[in-house]
Amino acid sequence: MAKPTALDKVISYTGILVGIFGIIFTIYMFLVIGDAVDAIHAAAINQTNAAIGILADARGIVVATSDSMDSLTSFARNSSNALNQSADSFSSMGTAVSFLATSLGQVPYMPKEATDPLQSAAQGISGTAADMKNTAASMGNVTDNALATATGVTALKEDISQSIASLEGTKKQIDGIHGTVRLGLLLGTILAVLMFGLNALSFYRQLVV
């Protein structure tokens, strides 16, 4: 077999360097995107726990409404404002998760199964934000109506309980999506490293044969 020409050697060395660079870049992107996924997960869980705490306190006040209607009205106003702020944070978080899913979709060899659940999570978080807005509006009405009847108290308590249940479900969804995305990111990284590695070995083989 004829010895490789100078041009063949240049092409082979270039292919090897590209393969090595591809492996390093893939690992780097895995670390960067992995940290971003973990940060969004932690922020989502913390925000969810904070919102649940606010709603749990509000429910406790509602239960004790017969003791102090004025206290309930004041607390409802403050809680409504706090929930509105939390809802805005959740809305921004949903946008961030959607952006992350789009970014992951642009990573070479990234499985579609790793990005679709993340998009679903973004929609779920945005939906939770809308539910929190509705609960905040319901609590805001307490300020205007002062919960004139026991029926109003019961209805508000049910709204808050449903919102808490929704947030608990969101936490489980966030945890599940986080695990799925991390697994998909790992598998995509392994696949990309193997592809770049095989490419570099192929060019190396052309040098030694």
Side-chain angles (χ1 to χ4, degrees):
M1 184 177 291
K3 295 179 62 177
T5 64
L7 179 59
D8 291 335
K9 290 183 178 180
V10 170
I11 294 174
S12 296
Y13 283 125
T14 301
I16 293 172
L17 289 175
V18 169
I20 294 173
F21 173 80
I23 292 173
I24 295 174
F25 180 76
T26 299
I27 294 174
Y28 170 76
M29 290 302 297
F30 170 77
L31 295 175
V32 171
I33 296 176
D35 286 344
V37 170
D38 290 342
I40 290 177
H41 171 258
I45 293 298
N46 290 338
Q47 191 67 44
T48 303
N49 286 334
I52 290 175
I54 293 172
L55 289 172
D57 290 341
R59 184 170 58 184
I61 292 294
V62 171
V63 171
T65 185
S66 59
D67 296 332
S68 177
M69 192 66 70
D70 290 341
S71 175
L72 175 62
T73 301
S74 177
F75 186 85
R77 182 187 300 109
N78 294 334
S79 296
S80 177
N81 293 335
L83 281 175
N84 274 318
Q85 293 175 1
S86 295
D88 290 338
S89 297
F90 263 78
S91 180
S92 299
M93 193 178 303
T95 301
V97 173
S98 179
F99 177 79
L100 177 60
T102 301
S103 299
L104 282 174
Q106 297 175 356
V107 175
Y109 310 111
M110 177 59 63
K112 192 169 183 287
E113 290 78 8
T115 56
D116 286 350
L118 199 57
Q119 287 286 11
S120 298
Q123 296 174 0
I125 293 173
S126 297
T128 299
D131 291 339
M132 291 174 67
K133 281 283 188 181
N134 292 335
T135 301
S138 178
M139 296 182 69
N141 291 333
V142 174
T143 303
D144 298 327
N145 301 328
L147 291 180
T149 64
T151 301
V153 175
T154 301
L156 180 58
K157 179 182 176 182
E158 291 177 354
D159 287 343
I160 294 175
S161 296
Q162 290 174 359
S163 295
I164 291 177
S166 175
L167 287 173
E168 292 289 355
T170 298
K171 282 180 59 178
K172 293 181 181 179
Q173 183 184 35
I174 290 173
D175 286 334
I177 293 303
H178 175 254
T180 300
V181 171
R182 289 291 295 185
L183 178 60
L185 182 59
L186 176 61
L187 294 178
T189 299
I190 293 174
L191 178 61
V193 168
L194 289 176
M195 294 293 293
F196 283 119
L198 289 175
N199 184 65
L201 289 174
S202 176
F203 281 107
Y204 174 77
R205 185 173 181 275
Q206 294 179 19
L207 288 176
V208 299
V209 173

